[in-house]
């Protein structure tokens, strides 16, 4: 496919936010693409060269991108910078100033490969080489192609098509919505939409059905549902395995040969953060291949006290990892086995997966099986819960003993019961920042006074506002936040955001914050969960706890359906 043709689809996608229209534009596009290019087209639509877990990122700084545009357009770099500041959009700047080609000759593959080559180039002098290659690419593109390539290279393509939309459109492009379930299953097991699309186009439904867990490809995590009391849990799933809910950093460890890769819960590589986990897995699983899942948590080795999430998360700073490892040693509390020596364990029951784990993990300093107890009745579950709360821990996770591992799904195979359920609002929420107000009084100096936050609506594929929040950030955090948000400002309301409130500044959905509140209330101002009467949901006395959730991406935000179930849970608590 010619790049110009793909770009004509980008233009159509950019001017609609109606879901059905998005599906039909994408499905038309996919029908036109050949098998050899479908993966690249998908990645380009996602605004990535490859899924993040491959660790290849174009992320070129804007100043270099501007140098490439200036070179291709024969314009002085300082003049271009001034123009860019006036225009405010790197794509439109490239469209206007790149010299551009007369004939629309390049194919999607040629453009993708050229950008790929630029991304992987490293070593001395590579910045200049990258600028040269990019400017020569710009010279072979029409102005409108240059617009989208520049946005892509700057990480600002933002066509507003999430993974769920792409999966739906892929199914529709083959004429069958019914393909969606098997596409979802395969996607949750391998997290690579481009590869999935290629297999779908090459080998159809059977190819997709044959997709299984693959070492090196992160499995999307199974998630917990909530219930508000031990009675409800026992009523729902009967006797169950109960584990501590560790408040740490979810880690999925893949070992192939002697290599260990660690993935975060949003499928990013986090291997360098946890050298002691890598080493322990290499030793314990010498000669074996395995995928394990658990929580990494900083612990006091003498008192066995578990530290808070904030302490563990200090590892996120890439420097001083070794010092951190010395001062705050970690343990990896493993709770699941997903793959072992060629066997996909996700189909096995939880009881069997646990049993195998217990056989595999000998006593050692770093890797420990998550504490677990089989409970038969409400009485013993309540007792366990109270003991956990007394130990200062977050709560429990109850697991259905006969359940397989349901990748990427939130269901009642796992149910969390948290300490905060004893108060009125039964859980914290992970909300996506979609805008902010510049603040008044002393806050103006930080550039941010209040943030506008949203939940995600999986059904509709968009972010819906639920709260304005001005409490919970330290002054330093406000400064950090302001620096981060200034890089993702959107001049208009982002297309994936549904909001009636207009903040001073819109930002692209990217960062999540964990928020607690006194109560969830009905509200006419917010769009989350809006019903026919126009009433949505809002938070009363909301406050941010902790800082940005580095381990979660925008689509991991609390779903609108969870807010509704928390609202209903809260009503029950009040009635009791
Ligand atoms: P939440 O983030 O509140 O939805 O809770 C679910 C998270 O709890 C999971 O994503 C895990 O990271 C974490 N977790 C902690 N301990 C366990 C456990 N024993 N089993 C499963 N998940 C756990």
């Amino acid at each position: 496919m010619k790049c110009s043709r793909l770009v004509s689809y980008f233009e159509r996608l950019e001017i609609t936010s109606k879901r059905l229209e998005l599906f039909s534009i994408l499905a038309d596009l996919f029908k036109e693409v050949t098998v050899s290019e479908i993966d690249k087209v998908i990645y380009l639509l996602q605004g990535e060269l490859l899924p993040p877990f491959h660790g290849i990122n174009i992320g070129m700084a804007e100043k270099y991108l501007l140098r490439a545009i200036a070179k291709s357009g024969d314009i002085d770099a300082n003049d271009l910078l001034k123009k860019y500041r006036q225009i405010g959009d790197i794509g439109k700047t490239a469209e206007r100033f790149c010299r551009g080609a007369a004939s629309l000759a390049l194919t999607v593959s040629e453009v993708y490969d050229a950008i790929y080559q630029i991304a992987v180039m490293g070593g001395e002098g590579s910045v200049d080489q990258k600028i040269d290659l990019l400017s020569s690419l710009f010279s072979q593109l029409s102005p409108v192609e240059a617009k989208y390539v520049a946005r892509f290279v700057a990480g600002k393509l933002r066509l507003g098509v999430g993974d769920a939309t792409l999966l739906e459109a892929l199914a529709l492009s083959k004429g069958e919505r019914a393909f969606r379930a098997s596409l979802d299953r395969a996607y949750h097991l391998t997290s690579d939409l481009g590869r999935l699309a290629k297999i779908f186009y090459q080998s159809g439904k059977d190819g997709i059905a044959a997709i299984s867990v693959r070492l090196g490809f992160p499995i999307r995590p199974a998630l917990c549902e909530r219930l508000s009391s031990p009675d409800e849990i026992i009523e729902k799933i009967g006797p169950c395995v109960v584990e501590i809910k560790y408040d740490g950093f979810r880690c999925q460890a893949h070992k192939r040969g002697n290599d260990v890769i660690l993935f975060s819960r949003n499928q990013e590589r986090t291997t360098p953060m946890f050298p002691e986990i890598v080493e322990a897995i290499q030793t314990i699983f010498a000669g074996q291949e395995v995928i394990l899942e658990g929580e990494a948590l900083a612990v006091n080795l003498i008192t066995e006290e578990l530290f808070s999430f904030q302490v563990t998360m200090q590892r996120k700073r890439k420097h001083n990892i070794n010092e951190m490892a010395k001062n705050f040693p970690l343990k990896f509390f493993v709770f699941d086995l997903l793959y072992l020596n060629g066997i996909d364990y996700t189909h096995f029951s939880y009881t069997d997966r646990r049993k195998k784990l217990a056989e595999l993990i000998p006593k050692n300093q770093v890797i420990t099986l998550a504490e677990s107890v089989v409970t038969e009745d409400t009485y013993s579950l309540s007792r366990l819960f109270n003991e956990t709360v007394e130990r200062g821990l977050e709560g429990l996770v109850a697991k259905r003993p006969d359940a397989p591992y349901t990748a990427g799904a939130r269901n009642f195979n796992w149910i969390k019961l948290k300490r905060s359920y004893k108060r009125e609002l039964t859980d914290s929420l992970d909300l996506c920042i979609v805008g902010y107000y510049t603040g008044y009084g002393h806050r103006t100096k930080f550039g941010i006074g209040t943030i506008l936050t949203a939940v995600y609506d999986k059904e509709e594929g968009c972010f819906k506002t639920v709260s304005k929040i001005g409490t919970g950030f330290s002054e330093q955090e406000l400064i950090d936040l302001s620096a981060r948000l200034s890089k993702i400002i959107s001049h208009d309301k982002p297309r994936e955001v549904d909001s009636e409130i207009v903040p001073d500044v819109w930002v692209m959905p990217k960062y999540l914050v964990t928020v607690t509140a006194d109560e969830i209330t009905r509200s006419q101002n917010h769009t989350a969960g809006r019903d026919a009467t126009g009433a949505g949901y809002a938070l009363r006395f909301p406050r941010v706890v902790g800082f940005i959730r580095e381990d979660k991406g925008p689509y991991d935000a609390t779903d609108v359906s969870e807010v509704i179930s928390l609202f209903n849970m809260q009503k029950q608590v009040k009635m009791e």
Side-chain angles (χ1 to χ4, degrees):
M1 175 182 258
K2 286 274 192 276
C3 181
S4 55
R5 182 78 185 145
L6 178 63
V7 158
S8 72
Y9 277 104
F10 284 0
E11 288 193 291
R12 286 173 60 196
L13 289 170
E14 209 178 34
I15 53 171
T16 179
S17 54
K18 294 201 185 88
R19 265 173 72 78
L20 291 180
E21 246 172 65
L22 284 178
F23 291 147
S24 96
I25 297 169
L26 287 168
D28 286 350
L29 163 63
F30 295 157
K31 280 183 208 154
E32 250 185 74
V33 177
T34 59
V35 175
S36 64
E37 279 179 330
I38 183 93
D39 49 349
K40 293 174 183 168
V41 167
I42 296 269
Y43 297 139
L44 291 172
L45 283 162
Q46 289 180 302
E48 295 163 349
L49 272 171
L50 282 175
F53 66 84
H54 287 290
I56 291 174
N57 195 335
I58 176 80
M60 197 173 196
E62 261 173 15
K63 63 176 176 189
Y64 300 136
L65 185 48
L66 283 166
R67 272 169 62 189
I69 296 170
K71 200 162 174 198
S72 131
D74 265 340
I75 163 169
D76 176 75
N78 288 327
D79 291 344
L80 183 70
L81 182 61
K82 281 188 209 132
K83 297 283 183 203
Y84 168 52
R85 289 201 176 124
Q86 283 162 6
I87 298 171
D89 174 341
I90 196 77
K92 288 190 180 145
T93 310
E95 182 176 28
R96 210 162 124 203
F97 293 101
C98 285
R99 199 179 330 109
S103 70
L104 307 174
L106 292 191
T107 63
V108 169
S109 285
E110 284 166 334
V111 172
Y112 176 95
D113 294 347
I115 302 175
Y116 190 91
Q117 202 196 337
I118 295 168
V120 295
M121 197 172 263
E124 217 176 300
S126 62
V127 169
D128 287 332
Q129 263 177 303
K130 283 177 188 228
I131 292 169
D132 284 350
L133 280 178
L134 192 57
S135 98
S136 113
L137 176 62
F138 279 137
S139 314
Q140 298 170 69
L141 299 174
S142 69
V144 64
E145 286 172 306
K147 170 168 113 180
Y148 287 101
V149 167
R151 283 185 186 161
F152 180 84
V153 171
K156 291 183 169 169
L157 188 59
R158 294 165 191 164
L159 295 169
V161 288
D163 296 350
T165 308
L166 288 170
L167 283 159
E168 183 82 10
L170 270 175
L172 291 175
S173 73
K174 292 280 180 192
E176 273 276 8
R177 264 213 81 199
F179 289 147
R180 177 70 196 272
S182 54
L183 285 172
D184 280 359
R185 185 203 68 90
Y187 178 51
H188 289 151
L189 286 180
T190 53
S191 310
D192 186 335
L193 253 178
R195 175 173 174 270
L196 181 80
K198 191 157 206 160
I199 295 174
F200 189 40
Y201 269 58
Q202 254 162 1
S203 325
K205 210 167 86 212
D206 294 345
I208 293 299
I211 288 182
S212 159
V213 167
R214 193 180 157 97
L215 275 176
F217 285 64
I219 301 164
R220 298 174 80 80
L223 299 169
C224 308
E225 268 290 355
R226 320 175 165 75
L227 285 173
S228 51
S229 70
D231 291 320
E232 284 174 293
I233 293 181
I234 297 290
E235 194 180 314
K236 185 93 192 169
I237 59 174
C240 50
V241 183
V242 179
E243 293 175 358
I244 289 180
K245 184 172 189 306
Y246 296 94
D247 192 13
F249 192 91
R250 189 162 182 166
C251 252
Q252 197 176 92
H254 291 226
K255 178 171 179 288
R256 181 173 42 195
N258 199 38
D259 290 338
V260 174
I261 313 174
L262 304 179
F263 295 112
S264 66
R265 66 164 274 164
N266 59 335
Q267 297 86 49
E268 282 176 6
R269 282 173 185 242
T270 50
T271 320
M273 268 170 77
F274 305 114
E276 59 271 70
I277 298 183
V278 172
E279 211 179 294
I281 292 178
Q282 281 168 333
T283 310
I284 294 169
F285 291 92
Q288 311 213 62
E289 306 212 300
V290 72
I291 303 179
L292 300 171
E293 198 169 69
E295 291 269 316
L297 203 59
V299 282
N300 180 330
L301 293 182
I302 298 164
T303 61
E304 301 258 301
E305 185 196 352
L306 304 174
F307 286 117
S308 69
F309 181 68
Q310 277 68 27
V311 174
T312 307
M313 277 311 284
Q314 291 180 29
R315 294 268 181 132
K316 194 75 197 173
R317 306 202 185 105
K318 293 193 179 76
H319 52 276
N320 286 345
I321 295 275
N322 288 336
E323 202 176 303
M324 281 293 302
K326 229 188 294 152
N327 296 341
F328 294 103
L330 275 178
K331 276 195 189 261
F332 186 29
F333 294 93
V334 173
F335 52 72
D336 228 313
L337 172 70
L338 306 180
Y339 175 92
L340 181 69
N341 302 326
I343 300 176
D344 175 354
Y345 266 74
T346 58
H347 308 292
F348 288 46
S349 72
Y350 190 60
T351 308
D352 290 346
R353 304 199 307 275
R354 260 310 287 211
K355 200 162 139 228
K356 192 72 192 169
L357 269 180
E359 285 167 30
L360 289 167
I361 301 177
K363 201 168 165 40
N364 71 98
Q365 280 284 323
V366 178
I367 304 187
T368 315
L369 268 187
E371 273 180 53
S372 86
V373 182
V374 176
T375 49
E376 300 284 334
D377 52 45
T378 309
Y379 173 74
S380 45
L381 183 52
S382 301
R383 199 168 41 86
L384 270 175
F385 181 61
N386 289 334
E387 282 169 15
T388 314
V389 171
E390 275 159 29
R391 283 169 68 188
L393 302 173
E394 204 189 5
L396 298 173
V397 182
K399 300 186 175 177
R400 236 185 63 203
D402 58 351
Y405 184 89
T406 38
R410 187 183 295 281
N411 58 35
F412 288 97
N413 289 343
W414 291 5
I415 306 172
K416 59 181 167 177
L417 183 62
K418 280 172 68 169
R419 188 172 51 184
S420 47
Y421 292 4
K422 294 196 152 180
R423 292 202 309 267
E424 277 192 343
L425 174 57
T426 50
D427 199 357
S428 55
L429 311 175
D430 290 322
L431 302 181
C432 187
I433 305 175
V434 296
Y436 63 87
Y437 296 83
T438 45
Y440 48 87
H442 85 291
R443 284 231 171 162
T444 44
K445 70 171 184 273
F446 305 119
I448 294 183
T450 305
I451 51 173
L452 177 63
T453 62
V455 289
Y456 189 57
D457 185 332
K458 221 178 281 155
E459 289 294 307
E460 293 187 25
C462 66
F463 293 89
K464 299 193 163 178
T465 69
V466 72
S467 191
K468 287 193 220 169
I469 310 168
T471 314
F473 289 121
S474 68
E475 296 199 343
Q476 185 53 47
E477 283 170 348
L478 280 175
I479 293 167
D480 274 13
L481 189 66
S482 166
R484 290 187 196 221
L485 297 186
S486 67
K487 296 201 179 100
I488 53 166
I489 287 174
S490 171
H491 290 281
D492 303 306
K493 180 169 72 63
R495 286 190 316 114
E496 278 184 289
V497 174
D498 176 11
S499 173
E500 279 189 7
I501 296 173
V502 180
D504 291 344
V505 182
W506 290 109
V507 294
M508 297 305 297
K510 174 165 180 165
Y511 294 119
L512 295 193
V513 282
T514 303
V515 174
T516 181
D518 280 8
E519 203 181 348
I520 298 175
T521 53
R522 299 308 306 257
S523 152
Q524 296 288 331
N525 297 328
H526 287 286
T527 48
R530 204 166 242 194
D531 61 17
T533 69
Y537 292 85
L539 303 183
R540 200 161 79 91
F541 298 132
R543 59 241 172 227
V544 171
V545 282
F547 192 49
I548 286 168
R549 289 293 302 239
E550 307 270 8
D551 58 330
K552 293 188 177 178
Y555 302 114
D556 295 318
T558 299
D559 191 79
V560 70
S561 61
E562 295 178 68
V563 173
I564 297 171
S565 74
L566 281 168
F567 178 77
N568 292 334
M569 231 181 235
Q570 178 183 283
K571 275 201 307 202
Q572 275 174 24
V573 173
K574 274 188 187 154
M575 283 185 310
E576 275 167 15

